[in-house]
Amino acid sequence: MYVKDQDSFLNAVCEVNADTYAPQQLLHAVKSIESRLGRQKTVEKGPRNVDLDILLHRNTIFDEENLSIPHKLMLEREFVLRPLCDLIPDESLPTGMKPGSFKEHLAVLPQSVPPLSSSTPFHPTLPPLTPLSSKRPTHVMAILNLTPDSFSDGGVHPSEPSSLLPTIRSMIASGATILDLGGQSTRPHALEVSPDEELSRILPTIQLIRSMPEFANIALSVDTYRASVAAAAITAGANIINDVSAGNMDPEMLPTAAKLGCTIILMHMRGTPATMTKLTSYPDGLLPTVASELQARVNAAEKAGICRWRIVLDPGIGFAKNEAQNLELLRRLGDLREWEGLHGFPWLVGASRKGFIGKITGVKEASQRVWGTAATVAAAVQGGADVVRVHDVTEMTQVAKMADAIWRV
């Protein structure tokens, strides 16, 4: 029996190198960690501030009064099997014990009501992203390009940070919970600026925002593929790294994000902004290829030390995709979210004002592609996006709210 009347809690499974520990030695080490963390236990199988359990230890079968390995109750606990299946879904208990893979055992368990969800923090005072929660709200990420050459709003925003305050206040009042600051354009064939120039464009604005108490509850994202820029921005007060290359364009990006301990958005792209328009061939199918290439970036991020719960994925609308491929990604985002290896991650979709919208609607001026963008936002919400990245915050917040009311039930 379990105590069911308790607050929600976070549960995680991790793999550690404990090969040199005998089972009882490992138990002693675990209890020492609990003690240092201030564990307090008042009710058997009830709430406590920290609880570390040993689930598996190599292929060991061990049973003594104070310790059983494998953990006797692990197969009946969804909150154990679900995160375990993020690590080793196809593994099973040692030979001679109950057969079947862990994902097979998870599949036959009754689902919790409300359903359990993974949890991705992105700001100290805001609720985390919970991509498996059916009633979760869609977050609006407002684009704040501090560049002279971005495709739709380059040079629109003043370079003097204090002059940006009316725009920032308007974005937040309209419903944005995240501001995405960029100092390097990633439009096709955009010229690269130096890291120093990129930082000179974004750091003063980050510092200004973080100096003002009225903006304490807004998350800041830095749109960069450079590790040095990301590190400086996070140190200055940004919360999220938004890397269009998913760490491919700077080998130091993933290790840097791991050291910073922040949330990172990994977007699917091939090549660079200068070459991506020529890399739109997907002979094995768009979704299978995007999924496998994103999975490779997730694997690289985890190998670099980034926690799984610090990763947000982005299908990369408009990056190494043609018009038909962009539409397919919007149409089949739900399938991509459920792809093996990608299930449980939060997703960001950024189709705002992009060229394929102009071609379909006949609207040449990027800043006028509001209605076409609205359709992509509605499609993204229906497909399960957790965050939509947009220019027109007032209008797209209304679209997201209406789409949430229809589909997030």
Side-chain angles (χ1 to χ4, degrees):
M1 297 294 292
Y2 300 96
V3 176
K4 296 183 178 181
D5 184 18
Q6 57 178 299
D7 292 335
S8 298
F9 57 88
L10 293 173
N11 207 67
V13 172
C14 62
E15 183 177 8
V16 299
N17 185 351
D19 287 346
T20 60
Y21 287 79
Q24 290 288 358
Q25 290 176 314
L26 183 58
L27 178 63
H28 178 75
V30 165
K31 288 188 174 297
S32 296
I33 294 171
E34 289 180 332
S35 178
R36 290 198 300 272
L37 292 174
R39 169 172 170 148
Q40 297 175 354
K41 178 180 175 182
T42 57
V43 181
E44 184 68 24
K45 292 192 171 79
R48 62 210 70 177
N49 58 341
V50 61
D51 184 25
L52 302 180
D53 286 328
I54 303 168
L55 301 180
L56 302 162
H57 186 243
R58 300 193 297 269
N59 289 315
T60 301
I61 298 177
F62 184 88
D63 192 13
E64 291 188 358
E65 184 178 356
N66 65 338
L67 177 64
S68 294
I69 303 177
H71 195 288
K72 288 184 176 180
L73 303 178
M74 60 181 289
L75 296 184
E76 68 180 53
R77 294 175 169 177
E78 184 189 359
F79 63 82
V80 172
L81 284 182
R82 193 163 294 282
L84 182 64
C85 285
D86 286 337
L87 295 179
I88 49 172
D90 298 313
E91 297 293 321
S92 57
L93 295 179
T95 303
M97 303 192 73
K98 191 171 184 178
S101 68
F102 295 131
K103 69 180 181 183
E104 290 171 338
H105 288 293
L106 176 61
V108 300
L109 282 182
Q111 286 205 351
S112 301
V113 180
L116 299 183
S117 177
S118 51
S119 178
T120 300
F122 65 100
H123 185 275
T125 66
L126 294 175
L129 301 176
T130 52
L132 301 181
S133 172
S134 62
K135 296 184 179 181
R136 69 195 185 280
T138 302
H139 286 268
V140 173
M141 173 188 277
I143 299 169
L144 191 60
N145 282 326
L146 305 174
T147 57
D149 59 342
S150 290
F151 81 95
S152 100
D153 58 353
V156 169
H157 302 303
S159 57
E160 173 57 41
S162 61
S163 300
L164 285 168
L165 288 177
T167 299
I168 293 169
R169 289 190 176 108
S170 174
M171 288 176 165
I172 296 171
S174 296
T177 53
I178 309 169
L179 300 183
D180 191 44
L181 285 71
Q184 164 67 61
S185 175
T186 54
R187 65 176 175 81
H189 310 296
L191 295 176
E192 276 196 287
V193 300
S194 69
D196 287 343
E197 174 65 21
E198 186 178 356
L199 279 172
S200 73
R201 294 174 176 179
I202 62 173
L203 274 187
T205 301
I206 294 173
Q207 291 163 346
L208 174 66
I209 293 172
R210 283 297 173 240
S211 72
M212 303 185 69
E214 66 180 289
F215 301 137
N217 293 325
I218 193 75
L220 298 183
S221 167
V222 55
D223 182 2
T224 186
Y225 49 76
R226 291 181 169 126
S228 61
V229 174
I234 297 297
T235 301
N239 310 100
I240 304 164
I241 299 170
N242 183 10
D243 183 357
V244 297
S245 79
N248 270 319
M249 292 180 66
D250 185 341
E252 293 302 313
M253 177 61 89
L254 298 181
T256 297
K259 292 175 185 175
L260 293 167
C262 62
T263 292
I264 184 169
I265 300 166
L266 303 178
M267 193 192 80
H268 178 269
M269 181 178 72
R270 289 170 156 185
T272 69
T275 63
M276 64 184 179
T277 57
K278 299 178 181 179
L279 301 173
T280 59
S281 176
Y282 296 84
D284 294 326
L286 179 66
L287 251 66
T289 307
V290 169
S292 66
E293 291 177 1
L294 270 178
Q295 181 66 66
R297 300 318 300 157
V298 169
N299 293 344
E302 292 184 319
K303 186 175 181 180
I306 297 174
C307 297
R308 193 176 183 88
W309 55 84
R310 282 294 190 178
I311 296 173
V312 178
L313 300 179
D314 180 341
I317 302 291
F319 288 80
K321 320 288 189 311
N322 60 32
E323 178 184 308
Q325 292 161 348
N326 289 326
L327 294 173
E328 183 177 352
L329 285 174
L330 286 168
R331 190 181 304 120
R332 299 188 61 194
L333 179 63
D335 295 333
L336 193 57
R337 289 179 68 244
E338 295 298 324
W339 213 271
E340 185 170 357
L342 302 182
H343 179 73
F345 285 106
W347 287 78
L348 178 147
V349 172
S352 183
R353 298 183 179 179
K354 289 191 173 174
F356 77 101
I357 297 175
K359 290 180 181 179
I360 293 170
T361 61
V363 180
K364 293 183 179 180
E365 182 61 41
S367 63
Q368 300 303 308
R369 296 170 186 163
V370 179
W371 293 108
T373 296
T376 68
V377 168
V381 174
Q382 183 187 24
D386 301 273
V387 183
V388 289
R389 183 179 181 271
V390 302
H391 297 85
D392 304 292
V393 179
T394 299
E395 296 86 347
M396 297 314 130
T397 296
Q398 293 177 20
V399 173
K401 285 182 177 180
M402 196 66 214
D404 282 350
I406 296 169
W407 288 297
R408 298 287 165 88
V409 293

